[in-house]
Amino acid sequence: MADETQVQEAQQTPVENTPVKADLTPQEHLVPKSRFDEVNTKYKEVQGQLDQLLTEREQQEKQAKEQQGKFEELYKTTADELTKTQDGFKIVNGRVEQLETVINGLLEAKLEGIPKDFHDLVPGNLTPEAKLEWLAAAEKKGLFGSKQEQPVG
């Protein structure tokens, strides 16, 4: 019996839907001109604000990139200066080592010219340059001068 009621409802449904389909023809929804103008002006205002915000954002991004570019330039110049300074340091350091060997050689030569008894008089806490200067000053004053025998009579 349930099957028969479903069949009858199925047969009745198309008949009932036929007049409804005739009523469902597309109808035009009319909007008052004042309401359309109001919505349209609001849309244009919002669109203008959106465009303005987008252009401001693009400008800010461009400025950020420009500043980042400046930082990159500063980094590159600083890196170049660092390499130049390091190269200069290496050159100067090599020159200092050469001069130290020369000064040590001169100091050893001066010390060889002094009798070994007087080696204790040379201060040990001085740098090689200061020792060399001290020895030169001491020789000028005759501290290490050899005693010459003068005839007494």
Side-chain angles (χ1 to χ4, degrees), residues 11-55:
Q11 291 175 357
Q12 290 176 357
T13 309
V15 174
E16 292 174 2
N17 287 339
T18 311
V20 174
K21 286 184 181 178
D23 291 338
L24 291 178
T25 58
Q27 297 179 355
E28 292 186 26
H29 295 287
L30 298 176
V31 178
K33 173 102 170 97
S34 61
R35 176 71 179 141
F36 174 77
D37 291 338
E38 180 184 333
V39 171
N40 195 24
T41 54
K42 284 184 182 180
Y43 170 76
K44 288 180 181 178
E45 288 175 4
V46 170
Q47 187 67 32
Q49 290 174 354
L50 177 66
D51 290 341
Q52 183 180 5
L53 289 173
L54 289 175
T55 55

Side-chain angles (χ1 to χ4, degrees), residues 69-82:
K70 290 178 184 176
F71 289 133
E72 288 177 5
E73 289 177 19
L74 290 173
Y75 172 76
K76 288 178 183 178
T77 56
T78 306
D80 291 342
E81 289 175 3
L82 177 64

Side-chain angles (χ1 to χ4, degrees), residues 134-152:
W134 189 88
L135 286 173
E139 283 180 349
K140 283 183 184 178
K141 293 186 178 184
L143 181 65
F144 303 118
S146 60
K147 295 180 181 177
Q148 295 178 358
E149 292 184 24
Q150 295 180 356
V152 178

Side-chain angles (χ1 to χ4, degrees), residues 96-114 119 127-129 131-132 135:
V96 165
E97 289 176 3
Q98 289 175 347
L99 292 175
E100 279 184 355
T101 56
V102 170
I103 289 173
N104 284 332
L106 290 173
L107 180 64
E108 292 298 322
K110 284 243 186 207
L111 286 174
E112 287 176 6
I114 298 172
H119 280 239
T127 61
E129 308 88 50
K131 281 183 184 179
L132 192 59
L135 286 173

